[in-house]
Amino acid sequence: MSSTPRIRALIAGTALAAALALPPSFAAASSELDGASVGKTAEEITASLVAQGYEVRKVKPEDGMLEAYAMKDGKRYEVYVDATTGMVAKVSEED
């Protein structure tokens, strides 16, 4: 019996495991901001994001958080910040 099918199965299983390990919304911006401390006020959040290369369009309260609408590298992002801790809770890339 040849070991070729076993090797193929091992490679396929390893590739699948690696793909599943990535978060579904994997993006450079979300990985650089997830869990980052960016500030507790609209002004602090804006300054922090601008310092990281974002163009901040608006920051407003939403669902108990501060939501920043920002652009970077031609992509639009919504950055949700916990106003009590100043930490980024979620980053969504918009189409």
Side-chain angles (χ1 to χ4, degrees):
M1 184 170 190
S2 173
S3 64
T4 302
R6 285 188 206 159
I7 293 172
R8 286 185 186 153
L10 178 63
I11 291 170
T14 303
L16 178 61
L20 292 175
L22 294 174
S25 62
F26 183 78
S30 66
S31 65
E32 74 185 23
L33 289 175
D34 282 341
S37 178
V38 293
K40 297 179 182 180
T41 67
E43 294 79 17
E44 291 173 345
I45 293 166
T46 299
S48 180
L49 293 176
V50 167
Q52 295 181 54
Y54 291 85
E55 177 186 334
V56 178
R57 302 289 176 100
K58 173 171 55 170
V59 179
K60 69 175 191 165
E62 186 166 312
D63 300 327
M65 296 196 175
L66 290 171
E67 181 178 6
Y69 296 88
M71 299 278 299
K72 185 174 184 179
D73 299 329
K75 297 178 184 173
R76 294 184 307 172
Y77 297 94
E78 291 180 5
V79 181
Y80 295 86
V81 180
D82 183 331
T84 59
T85 65
M87 304 296 279
V88 173
K90 176 182 169 186
V91 178
S92 296
E93 184 177 334
E94 297 295 305
D95 295 327

